[in-house]
Amino acid sequence: MSDHARAAGTAHGSREVVLGRIRRALGGTGPGAGVPPVPRRYLASHLPEGPDRAATAVELLAENLADYRALVHRVEPEGLPALIARLLAARGARSAVVPPGVPDAWLPADITRVADDPAIGAAELDAVDSVVTGCALAIAETGTIVLDGSPDQGRRRITLIPDHHLCVVRVPDQVVASLPEAMPRLVPHRPQTWISGPSATSDIELDRVEGVHGPRVLEVVLVGPTGNGGTADPAPPGTTGP
């Protein structure tokens, strides 16, 4: 037997001796003996049930997104193309990466659409002004947008390299209150990206620097009933309207 195998065997034996002493001290002899069951009655969400729960979740999402310095906009479905055109024009964007599942009607005719092509490298993506995507869902309590690589979201790197990400969330259908409510709706084997605000870090002397690990600017468009005839809703406190 080699010295390595002998040492590994000794370590394994020592581990069993220690675990055996712990089990005996707990009053049992087998694995897990004497260990009391752990209750799993966790609170799934802090939002109370009721007829206004979905609307409350949307408002909480908008508030927490703004708290993370994302720019939040509200619009009804028929007003979405005009709002996207206005937001891209406000940034002077002339090109945008667009996943294949994003409807053609979302983008204005004067924007150069860059396809989500695996052949496009980091340098080419860095030269694009914006990226426009949908999302898998959004979590109200944490202000988090989740992408999972679906056709309207594309590959992960197209939302990490361009400096401006414009993300469309269908409300209230794509909004959940909490992380425990989000997990059952996500497909575990899909490549997920969880986004809470624009990329930022305060690692060096607690000075906040944005755009380090992803887009410097995150704009989230909440698309759904606003009661405003298709135009943008007045922004909730702390958010930015179009």
Side-chain angles (χ1 to χ4, degrees):
M1 180 184 293
S2 67
D3 292 342
H4 178 74
R6 188 177 296 107
T10 301
H12 179 74
S14 300
R15 176 177 179 273
E16 290 305 314
V17 169
V18 172
L19 291 177
R21 290 174 179 171
I22 293 173
R23 293 187 189 110
R24 288 192 295 274
L26 291 174
T29 57
V35 178
V38 178
R40 304 292 182 184
R41 298 183 299 273
Y42 304 126
L43 186 65
S45 168
H46 294 91
L47 287 185
E49 296 295 335
D52 297 329
R53 189 174 193 269
T56 301
V58 173
E59 295 305 321
L60 181 60
L61 172 66
E63 179 182 338
N64 286 332
L65 283 168
D67 192 50
Y68 276 121
R69 300 192 186 183
L71 303 177
V72 184
H73 310 274
R74 302 287 296 270
V75 71
E76 294 195 0
E78 57 269 31
L80 178 60
L83 176 59
I84 290 178
R86 197 179 321 140
L87 297 178
L88 292 175
R91 292 195 54 79
R94 293 174 294 179
S95 61
V97 184
V98 184
V102 169
D104 292 339
W106 281 13
L107 274 293
D110 59 348
I111 286 288
T112 300
R113 296 171 63 107
V114 179
D116 178 15
D117 189 334
I120 297 179
E124 290 87 349
L125 286 173
D126 189 47
V128 178
D129 297 318
S130 302
V131 55
V132 180
T133 74
C135 73
L137 55 79
I139 305 173
E141 289 184 356
T142 60
T144 301
I145 304 295
V146 182
L147 310 179
D148 68 359
S150 292
D152 65 339
Q153 298 151 53
R155 294 172 305 136
R156 177 176 292 160
R157 68 174 175 172
I158 71 168
T159 56
L160 295 178
I161 298 177
D163 203 42
H164 173 230
H165 182 191
L166 201 162
C167 183
V168 175
V169 182
R170 297 189 303 275
V171 301
D173 296 346
Q174 289 189 307
V175 179
V176 297
S178 64
L179 194 149
E181 291 184 2
M183 298 308 293
R185 292 181 53 170
L186 296 170
V187 182
H189 64 264
R190 296 196 67 85
Q192 297 173 14
T193 303
W194 294 53
I195 304 169
S196 297
S199 169
T201 181
S202 300
D203 290 344
I204 301 176
E205 297 184 357
L206 298 180
D207 288 333
R208 181 182 172 94
V209 179
E210 297 181 348
V212 177
H213 313 106
R216 195 185 316 269
V217 179
L218 172 65
E219 294 199 76
V220 180
V221 179
L222 306 180
V223 182
T226 66
N228 230 10
T231 60
D233 224 359
T239 67
T240 301

